[in-house]
Amino acid sequence: MSADSGAAADPRIMEVQQFVAQLVAGNWSARATLSGDDDVFDHILSDLNQLATMLAADQAAHEEAERHADEIIDVMMGVASLDYSRRAPVGDDDSVFDAIAGGLNMLIDELIAAQEAGLQLQADVIQAQDAALRELSTPLIPINDTVVVMPLIGAIDSQRADQIMESLLTGILETRATIAIIDITGVSVVDSQVANALVRSARAVTLLGAQVVLTGIRPEVAQALVGLGIDLRNIITRSTLQAGIAYALHR
Amino acid sequence: MEQHEIRTRVAVVRLEPSGILRVTMLPGSHETLSDAQENIRHCSTLAQGQRRPALVDIREMRAQDRDARMFYGGPEAQQVGKAVALLVGGRVSTMIGNFFVNVAQPAVLTKLFSSETDAISWLQGFLT
């Protein structure tokens, strides 16, 4: 009798062989049933059962690690597309993935804080620039002790009109000027809003005991002012800044 | 009777007979700003207004919000703590501890320890 035919004839050997084949195929949930004879086959199968349990636990741990890693990668991908709303789950195991997840979450928090600080800084800079620009857009230049000139350039909106009034009144109070020349040569459009703002400023200046001379009135502006029906009777007007200054100095 | 221990949502705050404040973060705790404010308030109560060395055990802690971290790094905590020994254990608490020390840059002298004995020994140098 050959060894092969002997082995094939032993059902216990076949059982061991089949169980090993299952484990090799990756079926780690399979378990062999022991005969209870406590023979060498039972010992082998018992050890193989333990091996299967270990392999199954390893597989479960591997799958859990992959799942955790995927969750972390998802959050990182979100951050890469500027989505800072998600956080990686931190488990109770104190695993390396928990630490990475915790660290990533804290980094996202810092990223958000840095972004907010950057935006705030940007807003502060814009506000400061805006204030500086507003101040520069309504300069008040003293010609002598009693005459100041405010040359206006560009467009005038309601905010700038308020700024003109404020700068003019503050400047007149500070310099004690008696004549304020407002030069609108550089004002691109004079509509009813601008004209009314100038008239209001002139009236306010009068209340301080000073007088406004409006200069730089181009023909089309004069035409527009007439067309708008703006009352300029109490305001002295001159066509050029030069003429306005000459008037103020010889008064 | 003087109170020596207060339990909050996330921690047990205690004044040890040695004069060291001990804050033990509860297992799995996630600390928010209001938790941090409550902890500091209780520390202040227990310390009776005195600045004391503090042992903060974060070994079982799971997470801490940035607001809480920045609060501990700020002036309110400085009025309570003279020096802080941060007791870390596993990976998560070590990560949290390092973030606190390096990112929040606390105003109070703060050091990380993995040994409680070493931490207490260091803090004893701040007892007056």
Side-chain angles (χ1 to χ4, degrees), chain B residues 10-14 22-26 55-59:
Chain B
V10 294
V12 176
V13 185
R14 180 178 163 79
R22 184 185 184 109
V23 181
T24 307
M25 300 306 295
L26 298 177
L55 175 70
V56 183
D57 183 350
I58 63 167
R59 287 178 293 188

Side-chain angles (χ1 to χ4, degrees), chain A residues 43-61:
Chain A
H43 284 277
I44 291 170
L45 288 172
S46 172
D47 288 347
L48 286 172
N49 277 344
Q50 277 187 39
L51 178 66
T53 303
M54 283 165 56
L55 287 170
D58 276 356
Q59 187 186 30

Side-chain angles (χ1 to χ4, degrees), chain B residues 33-55:
Chain B
L33 173 61
S34 60
D35 293 324
Q37 288 168 334
E38 192 183 1
N39 287 344
I40 287 294
R41 196 169 59 246
H42 290 318
C43 280
S44 180
T45 304
L46 293 176
Q48 296 174 323
Q50 281 186 52
R51 291 182 69 217
R52 292 179 185 273
L55 175 70

Side-chain angles (χ1 to χ4, degrees), chain A residues 60-72:
Chain A
H62 181 73
E63 283 169 2
E64 172 67 12
E66 277 211 351
R67 187 189 56 74
H68 211 148
D70 281 343
E71 286 172 338
I72 291 170

Side-chain angles (χ1 to χ4, degrees), chain A residues 21 26 31 43 50 61 83 89 111-112 115 120 136 149 157 160 171-172 174 178 180 190 209 213 219 233 236 245 251:
Chain A
R31 295 292 180 271
H43 284 277
Q50 277 187 39
D83 173 9
L111 209 56
I112 292 170
Q115 197 180 43
Q120 184 58 51
L136 286 172
V149 176
D157 57 10
R160 193 169 173 212
I172 286 171
E174 283 173 359
T178 55
V190 177
V213 177
R233 272 178 299 179
I236 295 156
I245 291 172
R251 194 170 166 269

Side-chain angles (χ1 to χ4, degrees), chain A residues 114-169:
Chain A
Q115 197 180 43
E116 285 171 353
L119 286 173
Q120 184 58 51
L121 183 66
Q122 203 174 18
D124 291 347
V125 168
I126 289 170
Q127 200 177 8
Q129 283 176 339
D130 192 42
L133 202 63
R134 268 189 284 120
E135 201 167 314
L136 286 172
S137 72
T138 55
L140 199 63
I141 306 159
I143 300 290
N144 62 19
D145 288 346
T146 58
V147 181
V148 290
V149 176
M150 179 179 278
L152 299 176
I153 295 168
I156 296 175
D157 57 10
S158 59
Q159 196 183 357
R160 193 169 173 212
D162 291 344
Q163 179 72 23
I164 289 169
M165 169 100 80
E166 192 186 323
S167 297
L168 201 57
L169 298 181

